[in-house]
Amino acid sequence: MASESNTNSTSFTPDSALDLLFSPDLISLEVRNAMHPDVHIRPLASNDYRRGHLEVLSVLTTTTDPGEGAWVSHFEALRAAPRSYYTLVMIDKGSDQVIGVGTVFLERKFQRGISCVGHIEDIAVDPKQQGKKLGLRIIQALTYISENSGAYKTILNCSDKNIPFYQKCGFERKENEMARYT
Ligand code: ACO
């Protein structure tokens, strides 16, 4: 997996110089103001493959490297489905590297007056950066996007060991998950 840490460029890249998945205006000001001063929150950018996006995701589960071309094609496929995929990243301002990730996917519903449901997915924080409230801020920012998009609920699946974390983020246990792997 390629990252800028393997090259010479480590200076922080502002949002204005990036090609982003969605408008950064959708990120809660309250969350921005509560961020650690060394960390920036923004939408996924088209060149975050080079900032270690996949390395952080691999904290969560097996993440094989598809190569930069396939990664960028996938980014474009997400962007081609408007108002559906909102992936946020946490950037370490010193290294310009991704240190946290998370997504909310909006599922459109006929029920509840043509409403939608926000599905929170793929939350991961670099192990060296855990315990600094980055996970909490990612969940707060994703929930804000979900609720401001009209979702009547925001849901997620997690392991038993992560239940206390999500309870601290304001979620409660509800029903069961069923899965069938291919
Ligand atoms: N058990 C109990 N409490 C926890 C746990 C836990 N496993 N993880 C965090 N907390 C608490 C923290 O102590 C903190 O409490 P406080 O406010 O009283 O101090 C609060 O939750 C917020 O913690 P953060 O510092 O924001 O958590 P962090 O940045 O470390 O991120 C995360 C938590 C995302 C679970 C991280 O540990 C991680 O990346 N784990 C590996 C990947 C993973 O399991 N991701 C979640 C998969 S589920 C999904 O994607 C929908």
Side-chain angles (χ1 to χ4, degrees):
M1 294 175 209
S3 75
E4 291 283 342
S5 56
N6 297 328
T7 72
N8 295 326
S9 170
T10 54
S11 59
F12 175 70
T13 312
D15 289 2
S16 57
L18 293 165
D19 181 27
L20 300 171
L21 184 61
F22 60 92
S23 168
D25 296 345
L26 298 180
I27 299 173
S28 155
L29 267 184
E30 203 176 321
V31 172
R32 280 191 190 284
N33 292 337
M35 288 295 298
H36 187 284
D38 297 339
V39 181
H40 178 62
I41 184 169
R42 64 160 167 77
L44 186 70
S46 60
N47 57 0
D48 280 340
Y49 175 86
R50 294 177 173 229
R51 294 188 180 84
H53 171 248
L54 293 179
E55 281 86 343
V56 177
L57 264 187
S58 70
V59 171
L60 178 62
T61 189
T62 309
T63 308
T64 47
D65 183 353
E68 186 169 12
W71 189 99
V72 172
S73 295
H74 192 65
F75 175 92
E76 294 300 350
L78 298 183
R79 194 158 54 176
R83 300 185 306 282
S84 299
Y85 293 97
Y86 297 91
T87 297
L88 291 172
V89 289
M90 295 286 190
I91 300 290
D92 174 64
K93 291 180 185 171
S95 65
D96 203 36
Q97 292 291 294
V98 175
I99 55 172
V101 298
T103 294
V104 66
F105 163 67
L106 294 182
E107 176 202 4
R108 295 187 180 87
K109 293 282 197 188
F110 279 107
Q111 301 95 310
R112 306 227 179 196
I114 313 287
S115 184
C116 65
V117 171
H119 297 263
I120 288 183
E121 295 281 344
D122 302 339
I123 306 300
V125 174
D126 177 341
K128 297 188 291 296
Q129 305 283 351
Q130 289 178 10
K132 297 181 179 175
K133 303 265 191 282
L134 299 185
L136 173 69
R137 301 289 173 237
I138 292 170
I139 299 299
Q140 288 173 334
L142 294 174
T143 307
Y144 178 89
I145 290 172
S146 179
E147 292 177 352
N148 276 279
S149 302
Y152 76 93
K153 68 176 177 183
T154 304
I155 58 177
L156 59 90
N157 294 328
C158 72
S159 61
D160 285 352
K161 80 175 170 60
N162 281 329
I163 288 174
F165 166 68
Y166 286 112
Q167 285 171 330
K168 290 201 165 167
C169 294
F171 285 68
E172 59 181 325
R173 197 168 184 162
K174 191 96 161 68
E175 299 169 346
N176 302 303
E177 171 191 329
M178 304 290 284
R180 177 171 155 152
Y181 286 81
T182 310

